[in-house]
Amino acid sequence: MNQRAIPTKRATVQADDLALGKPVPYDIEDAYGHLLLRRGSILRSREQLERLLQIGRTPYHVAARRQETGGVSRWRELALAAFRNPFDLIYQISRALQETFKWLGEDNDRFLRRLDHLASRIGDLVERDADAAIGAAHLDEAFAYSIRHPIRQAILCDVVGSQLDIPDSERRSIVLAALSANIGMLETQDGLDRQSAPLDDAQRRDLEEHPLRSVERLSAAGVEDPIWLRVVAEHHERLDGSGYPAGLHGTQICRGARLLTIADTYLAMISNRVYRPATAVRETLLELMNQSGRIYDRDILSGLIQTIGIYPAGSFVALDSGERGVVIQRGNRGANPVVAVLIKANGQPTARPLYRDTSQPDMPNVDSLEPTHQLAQRFQLASLWGYDS
């Protein structure tokens, strides 16, 4: 099911090209074109070698040369065969982000190196299986909100940014901003997430000041990327000037911040919170569309909807056959998804997922979006996407 071509312009790094103690034969980049290791550099450790094999890509000119010889297809297939479970990777990324935050202020060089590597890993994950990444953004709740929310919004910013043709380097800066936008309230975020009472004045002030505190902490840690810092500073601004901390209007707000605002709001709304249940995907999209052009950027919101589709990967749907299940691939234009059926037409649960490709004429059609059924939590996400076979 998941044996499909990796949609990348760069080829993955070939294991035969790399050897410990030897110079690398070409520049090695990540999925965004960010330089990881320059041509001629010596591989010093097995850890470095494994990291480059995991997230490394060749430059465009190397990929183009292999394309002429048929090499790209072969190595993409081999790379995909090694890419067995994106949900394990998301778990590892979550654990790593949790550890990375602990180094902020203690060892800033290590904090930045680790955060930089996590951005590369997210780019690699999204490029290899965007549907699985989007599905995890909708369903995975393995970590505290302060950890899972930055990763979810980084994933969404990446896939939507790609849809909008945001240049690779800018998209990478936005992903880094998504991962770090709330470090100005790390000490209080999980407590606020568990709080059912309204915010008091001090908490409201803390909330409204956190974008600037995040910028201060990042700058103190050594971040100099102006796009990264600006996106963090402006990610709670709104087009009509009702946001914070500066009350910016319209195009005073940078593109990356307008994208992060939409990703942040969408994911917060579809998440369960102590003080309210999750809002259904359909109602969330309708609410955002009602504010389009006034609060949220119309073009970017359109890009979100075009990217995730009307039946996003990870959403729960009812089929006109009476079956119900989880969308695992968005399908053509997001309207004809592949669904892992978990509930039969007679209302009984399935022993294992049953797959329905609704783009096929002999398959049922999607009837409606539904709130995520608790039965979906019974299955490992990897099994729904077919990565455990």
Side-chain angles (χ1 to χ4, degrees):
M1 175 183 305
N2 289 295
Q3 302 304 308
R4 53 186 180 276
I6 300 172
T8 174
K9 296 177 181 177
R10 301 175 180 87
T12 52
V13 169
Q14 296 186 18
D16 291 350
D17 287 349
L18 305 183
L20 286 176
K22 302 290 185 180
V24 298
Y26 42 71
D27 290 348
I28 300 178
E29 304 168 346
D30 68 7
Y32 304 103
H34 177 74
L35 183 66
L36 299 175
L37 194 65
R38 192 170 296 283
R39 176 184 177 183
S41 300
I42 305 297
L43 279 175
R44 301 294 183 186
S45 69
R46 180 156 297 279
E47 180 185 9
Q48 184 187 31
L49 171 63
E50 290 174 353
R51 185 166 63 247
L52 293 174
L53 290 175
Q54 179 187 59
I55 64 173
R57 302 289 190 275
T58 67
Y60 287 125
H61 66 88
V62 175
R65 201 159 54 235
R66 290 190 193 148
Q67 185 73 60
E68 294 170 2
T69 63
V72 173
S73 299
R74 173 171 174 260
W75 285 106
R76 283 180 183 171
E77 289 168 5
L78 291 176
L80 188 54
F83 182 71
R84 299 307 305 165
N85 191 342
F87 302 99
D88 281 350
L89 294 182
I90 290 172
Y91 182 85
Q92 294 165 14
I93 289 169
S94 301
R95 285 287 301 272
L97 183 63
Q98 197 171 43
E99 291 300 312
T100 297
F101 283 154
K102 294 177 182 178
W103 292 109
L104 179 63
E106 297 294 326
D107 187 337
N108 286 330
D109 287 342
R110 178 175 291 189
F111 166 76
L112 292 179
R113 285 197 308 272
R114 290 175 66 104
L115 200 63
D116 189 76
H117 179 57
L118 288 177
S120 296
R121 293 184 72 179
I122 286 172
D124 174 70
L125 168 71
V126 169
E127 186 179 76
R128 291 177 186 263
D129 194 335
D131 285 305
I134 294 170
H138 283 80
L139 292 173
D140 190 8
E141 295 189 353
F143 286 81
Y145 190 79
S146 61
I147 302 300
R148 69 176 185 268
H149 187 68
I151 292 169
R152 286 174 163 185
Q153 62 186 15
I155 288 170
L156 210 55
C157 283
D158 192 341
V159 292
V160 177
S162 181
Q163 169 72 30
L164 296 170
D165 291 326
I166 293 177
D168 290 348
S169 60
E170 181 182 350
R171 201 168 78 252
R172 191 176 196 275
S173 295
I174 296 168
V175 166
L176 284 162
L179 290 172
S180 59
N182 291 336
I183 63 169
M185 55 184 294
L186 275 180
E187 302 84 356
T188 60
Q189 187 172 20
D190 286 332
L192 292 176
D193 183 54
R194 293 188 296 267
Q195 179 175 311
S196 57
L199 299 181
D200 61 31
D201 290 343
Q203 290 172 324
R204 173 61 63 184
R205 186 164 54 252
D206 181 69
L207 182 69
E208 293 184 353
E209 292 174 354
H210 87 266
L212 294 183
R213 273 201 311 278
S214 295
V215 169
E216 290 170 1
R217 290 183 177 185
L218 289 169
S219 297
V223 175
E224 298 178 344
D225 180 346
I227 296 176
W228 178 355
L229 294 174
R230 186 175 173 188
V231 172
V232 170
E234 298 175 2
H235 76 283
H236 277 291
E237 302 289 354
R238 299 293 184 262
L239 296 185
D240 66 353
S242 63
Y244 57 84
L248 301 179
H249 289 75
T251 55
Q252 290 179 319
I253 308 165
C254 70
R255 173 168 61 178
R258 284 178 273 142
L259 170 55
L260 181 53
T261 291
I262 290 173
D264 179 23
T265 305
Y266 172 80
L267 292 165
M269 290 179 69
I270 66 168
S271 300
N272 283 306
R273 314 296 281 273
V274 170
Y275 52 88
R276 60 153 177 80
T279 305
V281 168
R282 180 177 182 276
E283 282 66 37
T284 298
L285 291 174
L286 287 173
E287 175 64 24
L288 293 175
M289 289 169 62
N290 286 338
Q291 306 289 344
S292 176
R294 188 174 71 85
I295 301 292
Y296 307 112
D297 185 288
R298 183 176 285 107
D299 292 336
I300 293 176
L301 182 55
S302 176
L304 169 71
I305 296 170
Q306 290 175 30
T307 300
I308 66 173
I310 56 176
Y311 306 118
S315 60
F316 204 80
V317 296
L319 303 178
D320 60 10
S321 61
E323 298 169 314
R324 289 181 288 164
V326 174
V327 173
I328 62 166
Q329 291 180 26
R330 292 160 290 168
N332 183 37
R333 300 180 182 270
N336 302 109
V338 176
V339 178
V341 169
L342 306 181
I343 301 175
K344 301 175 187 176
N346 63 7
Q348 295 300 308
T350 62
R352 57 181 178 78
L354 305 174
Y355 297 101
R356 306 287 186 252
D357 183 347
T358 64
S359 68
Q360 299 303 310
D362 58 340
M363 286 288 178
N365 296 312
V366 175
D367 187 52
S368 63
L369 277 165
E370 293 198 344
T372 300
H373 197 282
Q374 62 182 7
L375 189 62
Q377 307 304 321
R378 218 187 73 187
F379 291 87
Q380 294 288 328
L381 295 182
S383 72
L384 294 182
W385 267 260
Y387 278 101
D388 63 345
S389 57

